[in-house]
Amino acid sequence: MTTSHSQPLPPKYLQDDGLSEECKKLLSILPKEKGLVGSHSYNYQGFWGSPRIIQGVIACQKQFQAQDSDIILITTPKSGTTWLKALVFAIVNRNRFPLSGQNHPLLVKNPHALVPFLELKLYVDGQVPDFSSFTTPRLLATHLPYASLPKSVQISKSKLIYLCRNPRDTFISMWHFTNKLRSHYKDANSIEEMFDLFCKGVSLFGPFWDHVLDYWKKSLEKPNRVLFLMYEEIKEKPEIQLKCLAEFLECPFSEEEERSGVVNEILKLCSFENLSNLEVNKNEKWPTGEDHKLFFRRGEVGDWKNYFTSEMTEKLDNIIEQKFLGSGLSFYYS
C-alpha cells in the first residue's frame, strides 16, 4: 500500500502504528509535545521519546536481565555514541579480532550492529531478543536516563560507561540528524523551533541536563561502576582517555601492547575518517530504513559556531549555568 502514487509508506522509525493497546492507553495520558522525528514526543518517567521508543523502553524494563559482566554504553543521542561503541568494541575484543585483520568486524559492520541498543533495537516492536549468540562480556547500549534503566541493571555489578558532549554541539547534531530522518516524509524542524524545545527540556531522552547530571552524580558515588567521559576530552587526548577506558574495563593495555602501538591502532581503526569511508557505513541501511551514513556527519567540536546566534548562546548558557550550579561539571566548547 502506498500513501500516493509516488510516495511509499514512511520508514518504520517514522510510523506510530504497531503499538500495543496498553501502550496506546498509556500515551493517551502522558504529556506530549511536537515530535522531533515523528508526529509527537511523549514524556514518560521524566524523559521524552516517540511512541515506538516508549514501547521498547517498557519491554526492556520488564524483561532485560543484566549480568554482572555486562558493559553498557550510555549517551544522550548525538554525543559520540557511534565512536564510543567502536572504541569499546575494539578494546574489549582486541585479542579475539586482531586489529590488523582485514575482516575486523568494525570494517564490515556498523558499530550499532556490534553494540546494539536495548530499547531501540533489541526490545523494539515487541521483539524478544535472543542473547545466546552474545559472547561475555555482553556489549550493550542505551540512551535511557539512570532512573529509567531496568532494575536489573541498577542492582547488578555491570559496568556503565557514559559519554557526554557539550550541549551546543549536541543540539546542532540532533537538529541535523532528526531533520535527515524526517526528510522526504515530513517538513524539516526549524532551528528556532527545535532550540526552544531543547531549552524547555524537550529533546530525545532529555532534558539534556537531567540525563547528564544523574550519570555524573552516579560516577562520583560509584567510580568503579560508572565511568563518565567527555567527548571533547577524548578528541583532545585520545591516548590517555583510551587507556583510562581499558583500565576501567579491567583489560588495561600491557607495556608490550603500548610499545607495539596497539592504542594508536585502535584509534586509527575507530577514527571518524576511517569508519565514515567504509562501504558498510556509506551505502547500507538498517532494516527499519535509516541509512548507516546518517550516523556520521562531522564529528567535530565547535560546529555550533556555524549556527548559533549570540542570543541562543546566551539563553542556553544561562540554563546550563543554573542547572549545573554546584555540580563541579563544566563543558568545553572549543
Side-chain angles (χ1 to χ4, degrees), residues 130-180:
D130 174 11
F131 287 106
S132 61
S133 63
F134 281 63
T135 50
T136 305
R138 301 187 303 186
L139 293 182
L140 300 160
T142 183
H143 285 317
L144 281 171
Y146 187 85
S148 293
L149 290 173
K151 282 290 170 276
S152 69
V153 174
Q154 296 190 21
I155 61 178
S156 73
K157 295 191 174 84
S158 55
K159 299 262 189 192
L160 308 183
I161 299 169
Y162 188 81
L163 181 61
C164 169
R165 189 182 190 185
N166 80 68
R168 298 179 200 164
D169 279 328
T170 300
F171 166 73
I172 289 299
S173 188
M174 201 183 301
W175 173 61
H176 278 289
F177 181 71
T178 52
N179 274 344
K180 277 187 191 152

Side-chain angles (χ1 to χ4, degrees), residues 76 78-80 162-170 173 208 212 229-232 297-303 331-332:
T76 62
K78 311 319 298 165
S79 299
Y162 188 81
L163 181 61
C164 169
R165 189 182 190 185
N166 80 68
R168 298 179 200 164
D169 279 328
T170 300
S173 188
F208 171 86
V212 172
L229 297 169
M230 291 287 222
Y231 180 84
E232 294 78 14
R297 195 178 72 87
R298 297 188 67 164
E300 290 172 4
V301 179
D303 187 37
F331 296 103
Y332 173 76

Side-chain angles (χ1 to χ4, degrees), residues 148-313:
S148 293
L149 290 173
K151 282 290 170 276
S152 69
V153 174
Q154 296 190 21
I155 61 178
S156 73
K157 295 191 174 84
S158 55
K159 299 262 189 192
L160 308 183
I161 299 169
Y162 188 81
L163 181 61
C164 169
R165 189 182 190 185
N166 80 68
R168 298 179 200 164
D169 279 328
T170 300
F171 166 73
I172 289 299
S173 188
M174 201 183 301
W175 173 61
H176 278 289
F177 181 71
T178 52
N179 274 344
K180 277 187 191 152
L181 287 177
R182 292 167 69 93
S183 64
H184 311 309
Y185 297 96
K186 293 180 180 292
D187 294 338
N189 284 317
S190 73
I191 192 166
E192 295 80 12
E193 183 176 27
M194 208 165 143
F195 183 72
D196 283 342
L197 285 170
F198 188 79
C199 289
K200 273 168 51 178
V202 184
S203 61
L204 299 174
F205 296 90
F208 171 86
W209 35 89
D210 291 352
H211 204 288
V212 172
L213 269 173
D214 282 353
Y215 282 104
W216 170 247
K217 287 171 185 161
K218 286 291 175 245
S219 74
L220 301 177
E221 281 167 33
K222 305 176 182 177
N224 298 330
R225 252 210 90 200
V226 184
L227 178 67
F228 190 98
L229 297 169
M230 291 287 222
Y231 180 84
E232 294 78 14
E233 285 177 358
I234 307 181
K235 284 292 237 186
E236 201 174 318
K237 296 179 176 163
E239 293 89 352
I240 293 174
Q241 297 292 323
L242 207 61
K243 287 182 204 173
C244 164
L245 245 177
E247 293 206 358
F248 174 75
L249 293 171
E250 295 170 27
C251 56
F253 296 106
S254 65
E255 287 182 16
E256 170 50 34
E257 282 181 313
E258 291 204 26
R259 268 200 306 276
S260 62
V262 168
V263 177
N264 282 324
E265 271 186 80
I266 289 177
L267 289 170
K268 200 168 151 189
L269 172 67
C270 301
S271 70
F272 183 86
E273 293 66 37
N274 185 48
L275 293 180
S276 61
N277 283 305
L278 294 171
E279 180 64 24
V280 62
N281 294 326
K282 281 200 324 200
N283 297 318
E284 291 188 24
K285 279 179 189 270
W286 293 108
T288 38
E290 304 95 322
D291 288 317
H292 286 183
K293 63 172 182 259
L294 272 182
F295 296 92
F296 302 90
R297 195 178 72 87
R298 297 188 67 164
E300 290 172 4
V301 179
D303 187 37
W304 61 271
K305 291 178 186 165
N306 298 315
Y307 302 93
F308 266 57
T309 62
S310 52
E311 290 79 20
M312 286 166 77
T313 308

Side-chain angles (χ1 to χ4, degrees), residues 88-132:
V88 172
F89 183 88
I91 291 171
V92 171
N93 291 295
R94 63 188 190 271
N95 295 325
R96 213 170 131 218
F97 303 115
L99 294 161
S100 51
Q102 308 224 303
N103 294 323
H104 192 286
L106 281 166
L107 297 176
V108 289
K109 288 187 171 175
N110 181 280
H112 294 288
L114 298 170
V115 186
F117 278 111
L118 289 167
E119 72 284 356
L120 300 177
K121 180 89 174 89
L122 296 173
Y123 289 96
V124 81
D125 300 330
Q127 292 178 158
V128 178
D130 174 11
F131 287 106
S132 61

Side-chain angles (χ1 to χ4, degrees), residues 55-111:
Q55 183 166 265
V57 168
I58 294 168
C60 158
Q61 288 173 336
K62 281 182 186 162
Q63 298 168 37
F64 179 65
Q65 291 305 313
Q67 297 175 357
D68 287 345
S69 54
D70 287 345
I71 296 167
I72 302 178
L73 312 185
I74 306 157
T75 50
T76 62
K78 311 319 298 165
S79 299
T81 316
T82 312
W83 192 25
L84 180 65
K85 287 184 174 186
L87 291 171
V88 172
F89 183 88
I91 291 171
V92 171
N93 291 295
R94 63 188 190 271
N95 295 325
R96 213 170 131 218
F97 303 115
L99 294 161
S100 51
Q102 308 224 303
N103 294 323
H104 192 286
L106 281 166
L107 297 176
V108 289
K109 288 187 171 175
N110 181 280

